[in-house]
Amino acid sequence: MSRARLVLWGVPALLWAAFFVWYTNLSGPMTAAEIEAVVARLSAEGGDPVRIATLRRFMEEDTGRQFLMANLLDAAEAPPVLPATGPGADADALLDHYMAHMYPELFRRASHPVYAGAVVFQAMDVAGIAGAESWTRVALMRYRSRRDLIEIATNPAFDERHEYKLAALEKTIAMPTEAQIYLSDPRWLLALVLLLLVLIADRFVPNRH
């Protein structure tokens, strides 16, 4: 293989490997020591016992895999006045203030939105739950691991901003899911794009040693 061809194939392979290592949780599930440290800190800060118990179970059932948080949101028509957004702010303004903290924390942990869209009609199929016909938007958020979500959710800055999310919404549901079919995983999309580009470029590389 010529030096040019070695570079052509080697550099994209190294780039993909670096992205894979960053994007993938290679640390496994949360350990018992990590879980106890989080619980002890939240308890010392006077956290809600019910929320702490929920987070403990969430951490103890960690599989170490990535997951998607499925969010259903129903925006409030007249959100309350909060200090950072002031009077007259709509639900989008409050959510933008909340996400201004979330986005940097998400992206540096290889977590990001996967899908966001406006609801165009009421729920078509509702059973066993009251008041679930009306929503305004749906969002899917990818998290590299439960450890990453816990780091974000237990940051004191999160509590300061979280009230803006709750105030912006009439109701919301956030449910973690582990994908069985996930055709848009960036790791494999990047691999396909790089492979395609390298195959095209390889046709123009002289076959000299």
Side-chain angles (χ1 to χ4, degrees), residues 4 31 50 112 147 187:
T31 65
V50 175
H112 55 83
R147 180 182 291 107
R187 286 166 292 193

Side-chain angles (χ1 to χ4, degrees), residues 8-94:
L8 175 64
W9 285 87
V11 170
L14 289 175
L15 289 174
W16 183 84
F19 178 78
F20 183 90
V21 170
W22 172 71
Y23 196 79
T24 307
N25 174 37
L26 301 177
S27 300
M30 295 186 71
T31 65
E34 286 179 303
I35 295 170
E36 292 306 322
V38 171
V39 170
R41 179 160 58 85
L42 293 177
S43 299
E45 293 171 353
D48 178 12
V50 175
R51 177 173 180 260
I52 293 174
T54 300
L55 289 178
R56 174 190 281 278
R57 182 181 172 192
F58 178 70
M59 293 184 288
E60 289 175 342
E61 296 179 1
D62 188 9
T63 63
R65 296 179 58 197
Q66 68 173 356
F67 69 96
L68 303 179
M69 187 71 80
N71 297 274
L72 294 177
L73 306 103
D74 184 20
E77 292 186 6
V81 177
L82 294 178
T85 48
D90 60 12
D92 286 338
L94 272 67

Side-chain angles (χ1 to χ4, degrees), residues 92-134:
D92 286 338
L94 272 67
L95 287 173
D96 287 344
H97 181 69
Y98 166 70
M99 292 305 300
H101 159 72
M102 286 291 290
Y103 280 132
E105 296 298 316
L106 287 166
F107 292 147
R108 74 187 189 90
R109 292 176 174 86
S111 304
H112 55 83
V114 171
Y115 169 85
V119 172
V120 296
F121 196 70
Q122 70 177 44
M124 302 289 287
D125 195 3
V126 176
I129 180 172
E133 292 82 8
S134 177

